Amino acid sequence: MLRLRQAGPQRRELPVRNLEAEVISLYTHLAAAGAALAIGAGGAWWAQGQRYGLQIEQLKHQATSTELDGTRQAVADMAGFQKGLNDALADFQALGQRNTAAQQDLSRSLLDLRGTTAGLRGDFAGLPARIERSTAAARAEYITACTAVFEDLAAAGGRLAEHGAALARQAEGHAADAGLMQQAWPRK
C-alpha cells in the first residue's frame, strides 16, 4: 500500500487504497451478480417451462378424453346398428321360412286340386252315356249332386284364389324387404 505524506506541521501518512484491488473486487462482485442472475433466470425459465409443459399435457389429456368419449359413443352407435341389422336379418329369415311354408301349402293345395280334377275328368268321361241311360229321378239326383260338387269346387277355388293372393302379397312384401336391405347394405 502506498502512503502519502501530508504537508504541514504535522506530518501524517494517509493510506492510499489499492485501486487495482478494488477494480478486481468490483469485477468479482459483478461476475457473482451475473452468475446469480443467470442461475436465477435459468431457474425461472425451467420453472416456467415445467408449468407450460404441465398445461400442455393437461390439454392433451383433455383432448384425448374427448376423443375417447366420441369413440365410445361411436362404438355404442355401431353396436345398436349391428343389433338392428341382426334383428332385421332374423325377421327376414323368419319371413322367408313363412313364405316357404306358404308356398308348400299352396303346392299341396294345387296337387290336391289336380288330383280332384283328374278324378272328375274320369267321372265326366262317361257321363253323357250314363245320363242317356238314366231315369228322370236319377238325373235329378245326379244334377243335385253335381251342383253340390260344383259349389264345393267354386268355394275351394275361391279359397285357393284368396290363398294365392295372400301368398302374392307376402312375396311382394318379401321382395320389397329384400330390396330395402340390399339398398341399406354397406358398399365397398
Side-chain angles (χ1 to χ4, degrees):
M1 180 183 287
L2 289 177
R3 297 197 181 260
L4 294 179
R5 291 187 189 171
Q6 191 175 15
Q10 285 184 341
R11 289 185 169 186
R12 209 169 39 144
E13 292 186 11
L14 296 172
V16 178
R17 291 186 187 169
N18 189 351
L19 193 57
E20 194 175 301
E22 287 183 20
V23 169
I24 291 174
S25 175
L26 179 65
Y27 283 140
T28 305
H29 287 326
L30 285 175
L37 177 67
I39 291 171
W45 185 283
W46 180 82
Q48 190 69 8
Q50 292 299 315
R51 276 197 328 206
Y52 285 148
L54 178 62
Q55 286 177 351
I56 289 170
E57 289 303 318
Q58 287 172 342
L59 289 173
K60 284 181 180 178
H61 177 72
Q62 184 180 16
T64 303
S65 296
T66 302
E67 288 177 12
L68 183 60
D69 291 343
T71 303
R72 285 182 180 150
Q73 182 61 42
V75 167
D77 292 345
M78 286 177 65
F81 175 76
Q82 185 66 36
K83 183 186 180 313
L85 186 62
N86 289 343
D87 291 347
L89 183 60
D91 291 346
F92 175 74
Q93 290 171 342
L95 181 62
Q97 291 172 350
R98 286 193 304 269
N99 285 344
T100 301
Q103 188 176 9
Q104 289 172 351
D105 288 346
L106 182 60
S107 295
R108 281 193 293 273
S109 296
L110 286 174
L111 285 175
D112 289 345
L113 180 63
R114 287 181 186 143
T116 303
T117 304
L120 286 175
R121 280 190 197 116
D123 289 346
F124 289 134
L127 185 61
R130 282 188 297 182
I131 290 176
E132 285 179 16
R133 289 184 303 228
S134 66
T135 62
R139 278 185 283 217
E141 185 180 329
Y142 191 72
I143 289 172
T144 304
C146 283
T147 303
V149 167
F150 286 137
E151 286 174 354
D152 286 347
L153 282 175
R159 285 192 304 274
L160 186 61
E162 289 172 12
H163 190 65
L167 186 60
R169 283 191 300 274
Q170 286 178 347
E172 287 175 1
H174 171 70
D177 289 345
L180 285 174
M181 287 186 75
Q182 219 170 23
Q183 288 174 354
W185 199 260
R187 291 174 177 79
K188 289 184 179 180

